[in-house]
Amino acid sequence: MEERPTNTTTMRLCKSLRSDQLRRMVIFENSHVNDPAMSLAVQAAEIDTAYALVEASLGLEHLAASLESLALTSNVLKSQQQSVYINDLLETIALVAMKMPRLKSMELWNGRAGFAGVFQYQIFESDRTAKITWRSTWDLPLEPRVLKAWQAVASERVDCKLQVVTEILDANVVITSHGDAIRYLMLLNTVVHPVSLWQIQKETAYK
């Protein structure tokens, strides 16, 4: 039976969401739920955290106003998924980002045995530029509606054309777990404690 979040974990998450001091949020769906080194693990077997945040953000105006950095996992991001559904998600997340005036970085990622992918949005205040990046083991054409949505987000912060970067990981890269995905995707945020990452990769190596 799959383990659900403990009351303590749930209470901690809810308390954080109520705080107007929250600046950075990382929600990581982890199959290694018994890992004590993780600062916070949210295990969602049936609810995709990305879409859950979309719904939650509608009623958490204080969260949207203060958040500067956000990292989420999403089971929608996978190589077997139809590209239209991934583009749907990326467009929807842009609508959420529009409600976050202080947002400097957002990333949506996923990785399991055989695939890894991340969508990243960044604002560079020093030179007033903005960039979105798609980095993965498979090719994903970003549709014009997605580019338009993120251009609108960027235009709220900086007066420039959005930079769009697409990177396909080398064919020699082998992804055996989300631990490998974290390593190769070059995530902007620390989504898991380094000790936990080492444990995940060690456990995978023994399988």
Side-chain angles (χ1 to χ4, degrees):
M1 179 179 294
E2 191 168 39
E3 183 177 338
R4 296 293 180 176
T6 64
N7 289 338
T8 301
T9 297
T10 303
M11 290 174 62
R12 186 188 309 167
L13 177 60
C14 292
K15 182 177 180 180
S16 297
L17 291 177
R18 290 196 299 267
S19 172
D20 59 4
Q21 301 299 314
L22 187 65
R23 296 291 180 271
R24 177 174 177 267
M25 178 186 291
V26 175
I27 300 180
F28 174 37
E29 292 183 56
N30 179 30
S31 59
H32 295 70
V33 295
N34 293 319
D35 186 352
M38 292 191 66
S39 60
L40 174 64
V42 177
Q43 181 72 10
E46 299 177 357
I47 302 175
D48 190 279
T49 55
Y51 279 117
L53 181 77
V54 171
E55 295 180 4
S57 66
L58 298 177
L60 294 171
E61 294 181 1
H62 67 278
L63 170 62
S66 62
L67 206 60
E68 296 179 357
S69 178
L70 178 62
L72 298 170
T73 56
S74 173
N75 289 324
V76 175
L77 301 187
K78 52 188 176 183
S79 55
Q80 307 95 321
Q81 185 65 269
Q82 295 183 44
S83 62
V84 63
Y85 294 131
I86 299 179
N87 278 277
D88 284 346
L89 175 60
L90 299 183
E91 183 180 22
T92 302
I93 291 296
L95 300 179
V96 176
M98 287 288 286
K99 300 177 181 293
M100 301 177 177
R102 300 185 62 176
L103 190 67
K104 297 178 181 177
S105 70
M106 174 185 281
E107 55 190 340
L108 194 62
W109 71 281
N110 193 25
R112 293 291 185 272
F115 72 90
V118 62
F119 175 84
Q120 298 172 329
Y121 163 76
Q122 294 172 274
I123 285 286
F124 303 96
E125 294 181 335
S126 58
D127 56 3
R128 297 189 60 77
T129 59
K131 178 175 72 172
I132 58 172
T133 301
W134 172 258
R135 182 181 298 113
S136 68
T137 55
W138 76 98
D139 182 37
L140 173 71
L142 295 177
E143 298 179 10
R145 60 190 173 102
V146 172
L147 302 182
K148 181 179 179 180
W150 284 99
Q151 178 65 70
V153 175
S155 296
E156 289 289 315
R157 281 73 167 180
V158 294
D159 185 19
C160 70
K161 184 176 180 179
L162 182 69
Q163 299 177 37
V164 180
V165 178
T166 300
E167 299 177 5
I168 305 300
L169 295 180
D170 191 281
N172 294 322
V173 170
V174 178
I175 306 295
T176 60
S177 69
H178 53 260
D180 289 331
I182 292 171
R183 175 185 175 189
Y184 288 109
L185 290 178
M186 296 183 287
L187 302 182
L188 304 173
N189 295 274
T190 302
V191 298
V192 63
H193 192 283
V195 173
S196 298
L197 180 59
W198 176 81
Q199 290 175 338
I200 292 170
Q201 292 178 316
K202 183 178 179 180
E203 290 174 13
T204 303
Y206 282 123
K207 292 182 179 180

